[in-house]
Every structure is written in C-alpha cells, then in structure tokens.
Amino acid sequence: MKTSIVLTAVAALAAKASAACFAERLGYPCCKGNTVAYTDNDGKWGVENGNWCGIADTPSPAACWSTSLGYPCCSSSSAQVYYTDNDGKWGVENGDWCGIPTGSTGGSTGGSTGGGSVTPSGEQFTISGNPFSGVEFYINPYYVEEVDGAIAQMSDSSLIAKAEKMKTYSNAIWLDTIKNMQSWLESNLQGAQSQHQSSGKDILTVFVVYDLPGRDCHALASNGELLPMMEI
C-alpha cells in the first residue's frame, strides 16, 4: 500500500546539499576531465573508464561563489534570478538551483517566486484550523521550467494558453529519495519565503515525504531505497 505524508508546515531548514554536476541527478558520475564526446539538453557528456559521465559547464571558481556551497554555477551571468539571499543570486537550470556569477545583474525574477534578501527568523511556525484556507500556494520554479519547455514545442495557440495557465497552479514537491530530501527541501522553502516577501501573503508549500522504509510494501515497480527494518 502506498504511504505518503503531506507536510503542511516545516519548522526548520535542512543542510545544503546537491549534486556536483548535472549527471549525478541522472544516475551518471561527473567527469574528472573536460573532453566532450556528446552534448544534449542536459549538458555536455564525456566518456571515462568506458562509461558516460557529465562535464560540469561552469564559470571559473573565482567568478562563481555557489560551488563552495555545493551548487553548480549557472551557465550564463545573465540567467534569470529566482531567489536572492546573503550568498548571492540564484537561478534554476536543468531543474536544479545554480549560482549566478558575481558582478552580473541577472535577468528578471520569474514566476511568482519573488526576490529580495531572505533571513529566516528561526522561530517555529504554528497554525490552527484549516492550513489550506486563506493562503497562497507556492509556485515551484522547477515545475514552471518544465511547463515552459513543453510550451516551446507547441504551435497551437489555444494549447499554449492552457499551458500558460497551468504554470499558475501549485503542485506538491515529492521527496522520494534521501538525495532529493537534501537538495530540494531547503531550496524550495527559501523560494516560498521569498514568494511570501514578494506578495505579502502567507505561502503554503506542500511536501510529500515518500522515501519511507518499506515503501509500497517493497513492490518491484515502485519500491524505495530503504528496507522495512532499516535504521536511518
């Protein structure tokens, strides 16, 4: 039986962690060298030890501050700014956060994610009554980017209009692996806080914790990475 828990309020931020390059999110290692054998929409690929590996396409470390935080650099200094904090300006590429190199102004802030400096208060948030009433739902920039990618391949104007409307709807963020828990939780909470500062409204971010021990009774089609009696 599928088990899912929807979090309607999260009190603390998780430690920052993400893949060193885009390939790790796709199940491939990062290259140690930079010889390009193939390029697709995900990025540049190389071959090492007889296997495909991803080549990190980033500015020099001196120009990009986010690598020291475990996040890749955005491919362009004029990347669209989705979020700003004390570290710098953040963009989204290949469905993941990236740091916009210093000295750039960046593009306009996209969607409803807002901008501006965000300083967590450190206070626990409590709520009573219906948490879904009178709030604005968080707009996930990864979802917006996915819809934009689909729109780019459409030619029907009526279908494009419907897809544009879809971008205004929120969706739950699934934390289905430990890796995604580490890389998606804090970044989306920060985005929600930025959206709150931009709109002045209470923002509700919905998470589905799906990386549970013995998930789906360990069915082969959708079993998780944790065994039923595994200690975590």
Side-chain angles (χ1 to χ4, degrees):
M1 179 183 295
K2 290 189 175 182
T3 304
S4 62
I5 301 173
V6 178
L7 303 182
T8 57
V10 181
L13 298 179
K16 284 184 177 176
S18 72
C21 72
F22 71 91
E24 291 188 348
R25 297 189 300 274
L26 303 173
Y28 293 88
C30 300
C31 295
K32 296 180 179 179
N34 57 4
T35 301
V36 178
Y38 177 71
T39 301
D40 61 13
N41 291 334
D42 293 311
K44 297 178 181 178
W45 297 87
V47 176
E48 293 181 354
N49 299 319
N51 294 315
W52 289 101
C53 59
I55 299 174
D57 186 12
T58 61
S60 64
C64 184
W65 45 270
S66 63
T67 52
S68 62
L69 301 175
Y71 290 86
C73 302
C74 296
S75 59
S76 172
S77 61
S78 59
Q80 182 172 316
V81 179
Y82 280 96
Y83 174 68
T84 302
D85 62 10
N86 292 332
D87 293 315
K89 296 178 180 179
W90 296 89
V92 176
E93 289 182 356
N94 299 317
D96 196 10
W97 293 94
C98 60
I100 299 176
T102 56
S104 65
T105 57
S108 59
T109 301
S112 301
T113 55
S117 177
V118 174
T119 304
S121 65
E123 299 177 359
Q124 183 173 352
F125 179 77
T126 58
I127 191 170
S128 60
N130 184 355
F132 297 95
S133 177
V135 298
E136 180 177 292
F137 283 81
Y138 172 58
I139 304 299
N140 183 358
Y142 171 75
Y143 172 69
V144 172
E145 185 180 49
E146 290 287 293
V147 176
D148 281 335
I151 291 175
Q153 302 179 49
M154 298 177 185
S155 57
D156 188 327
S157 59
S158 62
L159 187 59
I160 292 175
K162 293 177 181 178
E164 288 287 353
K165 186 175 182 179
M166 287 178 60
K167 294 194 301 184
T168 66
Y169 290 94
S170 178
N171 56 84
I173 300 167
W174 286 65
L175 305 176
D176 56 345
T177 65
I178 294 174
K179 186 176 181 179
N180 287 345
M181 175 76 77
Q182 293 174 329
S183 61
W184 288 358
L185 180 58
E186 181 181 6
S187 60
N188 283 289
L189 287 174
Q190 289 177 332
Q193 189 170 21
S194 180
Q195 184 176 330
H196 163 69
Q197 292 187 336
S198 177
S199 67
K201 299 180 180 179
D202 290 335
I203 307 299
L204 180 62
T205 306
V206 179
F207 293 93
V208 178
V209 179
Y210 194 50
D211 193 27
L212 302 175
R215 185 178 78 196
D216 293 353
C217 299
H218 211 60
L220 294 179
S222 54
N223 57 347
E225 60 188 350
L226 304 175
L227 298 176
M229 303 304 294
M230 184 179 292
E231 294 184 3
I232 56 175

